[in-house]
Amino acid sequence: MSLILGIDLGTTNSLVGVVDSGFPILLANEEGQRLTPSAVNYAADGSCIVGAAALRKRALDPKRTVTSVKRLIGRRSGEGDWQPPYQLSEIGTTPVQVSAEILKLLKAIAERALEQPVNRAVITVPAYFNDAQRNATKQAGELAGLTVERIVSEPTAAALAYGLDKLSERQKIAVYDLGGGTFDISVLEMREGIFQVLSTAGDTQLGGDDIDRAIAESICPTGADPAQFVEAAEAAKKRLSTEDSTRIDLPFYDGSISLSHEINRNDFEKLVRPLIERTRTHCLRALSDAGVKPDELDAVILVGGSTRIPMVRRYVAEIFGREPDISQNPDEAVALGAVIQAGILSGSLKNVLLLDVTPLSLGIETFGGLMNTIIPRNTTIPCKAGEMFTNAVTNQQDMLIRVLQGERELAKDNWELGRIVLPFPAGAKGSARVGVQFTIDANGILQVLARDTATQTDTVLEIQNTAVDVDDDRVEQMIAESVEYAFEDMNERVWTEAKLKAEELLPAVDAALMQFGDAVSDDERSAIMTAAVKVRTSLNAPEHDAKALKMANQELDDATQELAVRLVERAMEESLLRRGLV
Ligand code: AMP
């Protein structure tokens, strides 16, 4: 199956991705960034560099550094007033050739990441691009060595990324796209499973760059050039999307004068409000062109890095009378949609088998109230796993098997799904052998089989759908709690295990001392007694100090080393005697 790339060929930045093993992913360039600047710098000999490296050359070499070429390839009719700081004719290139250089780099990024050649792609363009502009984009792709399988409108791609392709017939959405340099608003309608663009409007000269400039001008001392503060302004703007206040510090920006400026959200919002308000008329126009009232929209989605600004989100909610969907990364939504479209075309999205996994671990309660996991969470179903257990108490008549689900170390903190009472013939402690097997079928039905191996009696418990059918919120909460209490839980588990060991050790030591009392030296006896007291003290302490108890157990173990050896020797002698070999 041949891969198809999804490409967002943007005005400022471009992205490339692919569907890999059923998941749409965006690929990082050599700098580890998924956003690659749409910039090309040409040397005098006609060779060029592309991406971040080209952008770094812009300040020194503005006349030979091509940025925002999309504005030239995609000039909206009647809006050809953007004058680039470079002349393509002087450089000796065309918008298609420049775009091809960017696409070549994206292709190379993909091939490096995927370790294989790729030569097919889906490329996105603004909804308002006409035939000529779409064709020019396609040509650029072909010049870069890519077969362009489809040109997709950006709002359509974004809607795909937001999962809105599942909307039903005639449902309508608005896509509000505020990027670095342009603003686009589109109204789409779902018809026969495909999005139709009902209307588009926008402003090719409005975006995050204008906000950066407004900030730079507001902090610029009289007489200085605001351009030198634009970068710091952009960084501050981004911080203000999550922080209430930030500081712009430019020490000795001109060699002797420093600039230090505190700017809070309020000041920022006052400054940029007029810019954001300019989007309103475009939104209203797009709605009216589409013949759609705001309350007839089924969703409003956000695209473009500038929609991360909280005020933009509030403003969108105000215009459309509904909260926008902010579930996707606004600067990656278009690219992600292109990737999804590419995946659908290549068949790789259709062909993936959707496998369910167990949302939480499944297991049973064991000695001391501990959770014993049998199937860990995130195991792909269907699956089967099991373990062998024994009785903890002499003359136990039956075994209670509590089937549990959850991530906590102690059984009591997990959820009980059901229980089995398995009878078995009474015997000494540890004599029973009970196999417990968990099977989850493809429908998520859990079957617990408990078998007493001595009698071959089976007891089966079937639990419908619990294995996979757990409310997302409850699963989240369970996992969050397991992390939150991880330390306490672990301490409790270690404590319980140490306690079980101590409870086994103490009576055994007492019994051995009774049996060998005469053969044990006073020193040895007093060492053993001291160690045993320590274990008992730890065991009865009000605080569960797992470490202390473990250490006391260890000391008792060490102190009884010789005693244990003698016990074994005695047992062997007795056995040989019994068999008449001595
Ligand atoms: P795009 O064209 O979608 O890549 O958007 C780029 C614009 O989004 C630039 O003007 C960025 O400064 C702006 N931007 C990116 N991240 C943020 C953010 N966290 N807060 C505000 N603006 C942002």
Side-chain angles (χ1 to χ4, degrees):
M1 190 174 60
S2 124
L3 289 173
I4 305 182
L5 300 177
I7 293 178
D8 169 9
L9 185 60
T11 308
T12 356
N13 292 300
S14 296
L15 295 102
V16 60
V18 73
V19 171
D20 181 25
S21 314
F23 289 108
I25 51 161
L26 297 174
L27 303 166
N29 59 28
E30 281 195 309
E31 277 117 14
Q33 303 294 322
R34 294 192 285 203
L35 292 172
T36 295
S38 305
V40 186
N41 174 268
Y42 286 87
D45 65 0
S47 65
C48 64
I49 50 172
V50 190
L55 203 54
R56 284 193 287 271
K57 290 222 162 190
R58 182 167 60 172
L60 295 171
D61 196 12
K63 293 221 167 306
R64 301 194 66 85
T65 307
V66 183
T67 52
S68 299
V69 75
K70 191 171 175 181
R71 290 177 185 270
L72 300 176
I73 214 176
R75 200 159 258 186
R76 212 195 290 231
S77 47
E79 277 190 328
D81 50 354
W82 182 65
Q83 285 311 321
Y86 50 80
Q87 287 293 326
L88 290 186
S89 56
E90 263 174 34
I91 300 172
T93 188
T94 64
V96 169
Q97 285 169 334
V98 176
S99 304
E101 292 302 338
I102 299 164
L103 289 166
K104 266 188 222 165
L105 176 62
L106 298 174
K107 180 174 183 277
I109 289 169
E111 289 179 338
R112 191 182 65 100
L114 301 167
E115 296 178 334
Q116 67 179 86
V118 220
N119 44 34
R120 300 163 75 196
V122 165
I123 305 177
T124 56
V125 295
Y128 60 77
F129 261 28
N130 61 27
D131 253 7
Q133 295 163 326
R134 282 166 198 256
N135 269 327
T137 305
K138 194 166 174 201
Q139 253 183 331
E142 265 139 33
L143 204 56
L146 292 164
T147 305
V148 181
E149 301 289 339
R150 196 166 290 185
I151 294 284
V152 183
S153 286
E154 286 161 11
T156 306
L160 267 180
Y162 274 90
L164 296 177
D165 49 322
K166 290 166 199 80
L167 284 183
S168 36
E169 249 343 73
R170 299 270 154 196
Q171 289 204 295
K172 299 172 189 72
I173 63 168
V175 183
Y176 182 103
D177 178 350
L178 187 62
T182 57
F183 169 65
D184 291 296
I185 173 76
S186 318
V187 179
L188 313 184
E189 183 182 45
M190 181 59 97
R191 281 193 204 152
E192 288 165 20
I194 300 168
F195 279 112
Q196 303 284 329
V197 179
L198 296 185
S199 66
T200 78
D203 185 337
T204 51
Q205 316 291 327
L206 175 62
D209 300 348
D210 300 289
I211 298 175
D212 305 343
R213 225 170 299 125
I215 300 174
E217 279 164 11
S218 81
I219 58 168
C220 180
T222 15
D225 177 8
Q228 60 190 318
F229 305 123
V230 165
E231 225 182 285
E234 183 185 10
K237 168 189 76 176
K238 289 186 182 172
R239 289 197 298 276
L240 283 171
S241 288
T242 48
E243 291 160 28
D244 286 333
S245 173
T246 190
R247 179 165 281 284
I248 302 177
D249 277 313
L250 289 167
F252 309 115
Y253 65 88
D254 75 340
S256 61
I257 310 173
S258 298
L259 181 139
S260 179
H261 213 284
E262 176 85 22
I263 173 164
N264 65 30
R265 258 254 189 109
N266 244 335
D267 307 334
F268 169 75
E269 296 193 346
K270 253 189 234 141
L271 195 65
V272 301
R273 189 159 185 104
L275 289 170
I276 308 304
E277 278 175 348
R278 279 169 52 194
T279 64
R280 182 189 199 93
T281 44
H282 299 293
C283 292
L284 299 181
R285 144 148 314 174
L287 285 171
S288 106
D289 286 354
V292 174
K293 294 197 200 77
D295 62 3
E296 290 171 337
L297 290 171
D298 296 287
V300 176
I301 62 176
L302 298 180
V303 179
S306 300
T307 61
R308 287 186 193 273
I309 299 172
M311 187 183 57
V312 171
R313 296 184 169 183
R314 287 204 310 274
Y315 197 66
V316 172
E318 206 178 289
I319 298 174
F320 293 97
R322 63 152 60 231
E323 288 300 323
D325 185 339
I326 52 167
S327 60
Q328 296 296 313
N329 248 339
D331 26 27
E332 294 181 342
V334 168
L336 201 63
V339 172
I340 293 171
Q341 181 65 65
I344 293 169
L345 287 178
S346 70
S348 51
L349 268 187
K350 246 191 345 234
N351 290 343
V352 294
L353 180 62
L354 281 178
L355 293 173
D356 259 318
V357 296
T358 53
L360 291 172
S361 302
L362 293 160
I364 68 170
E365 175 175 343
T366 56
F367 304 156
L370 295 178
M371 165 79 171
N372 185 306
T373 296
I374 292 183
I375 297 180
R377 71 182 277 261
N378 274 338
T379 303
T380 307
I381 63 169
C383 57
K384 191 190 259 188
E387 259 176 63
M388 185 80 84
F389 296 91
T390 188
N391 56 324
V393 181
T394 300
N395 284 334
Q396 204 174 331
Q397 300 279 344
D398 47 35
M399 190 188 246
L400 169 67
I401 298 167
R402 289 180 68 210
V403 180
L404 304 170
Q405 182 170 36
E407 304 311 312
R408 303 288 301 275
E409 297 286 343
L410 301 188
K412 70 174 171 59
D413 295 323
N414 291 322
W415 306 327
E416 183 179 310
L417 298 182
R419 42 175 76 195
I420 298 176
V421 179
L422 185 71
F424 50 78
K429 170 182 169 183
S431 64
R433 290 277 174 274
V434 175
V436 177
Q437 190 177 67
F438 279 35
T439 313
I440 307 178
D441 68 12
N443 300 316
I445 294 172
L446 167 67
Q447 198 186 58
V448 180
L449 172 75
R451 173 176 298 167
D452 175 6
T453 48
T455 59
Q456 291 291 317
T457 13
D458 283 353
T459 311
V460 175
L461 177 71
E462 196 160 275
I463 297 161
Q464 298 280 335
N465 255 338
T466 13
V468 288
D469 213 14
V470 177
D471 183 19
D472 282 354
D473 290 345
R474 293 186 68 208
V475 171
E476 287 289 321
Q477 194 190 341
M478 169 62 81
I479 294 168
E481 280 175 4
S482 76
V483 174
E484 189 181 337
Y485 296 113
F487 188 75
E488 286 100 323
D489 275 12
M490 208 17 116
N491 185 60
E492 209 42 38
R493 172 177 282 275
V494 175
W495 162 263
T496 306
E497 282 165 359
K499 175 171 166 266
L500 288 171
K501 173 150 192 205
E503 284 168 357
E504 204 163 310
L505 210 52
L506 289 170
V509 170
D510 286 345
L513 280 179
M514 291 267 282
Q515 211 175 340
F516 292 96
D518 43 343
V520 173
S521 72
D522 284 351
D523 280 357
E524 194 181 349
R525 175 188 292 273
S526 93
I528 292 173
M529 297 304 276
T530 314
V533 167
K534 257 196 185 165
V535 172
R536 287 205 169 85
T537 315
S538 262
L539 206 50
N540 297 325
E543 287 287 316
H544 287 182
D545 187 343
K547 218 169 128 194
L549 182 56
K550 260 182 88 169
M551 267 172 61
N553 277 345
Q554 188 58 48
E555 279 172 31
L556 183 57
D557 240 354
D558 293 346
T560 52
Q561 273 288 318
E562 279 177 36
L563 190 60
V565 171
R566 243 168 287 152
L567 251 174
V568 174
E569 279 169 359
R570 169 76 66 95
M572 277 176 67
E573 266 169 33
E574 279 175 357
S575 136
L576 293 175
L577 270 173
R578 263 202 312 279
R579 284 190 264 160
L581 294 173
V582 181

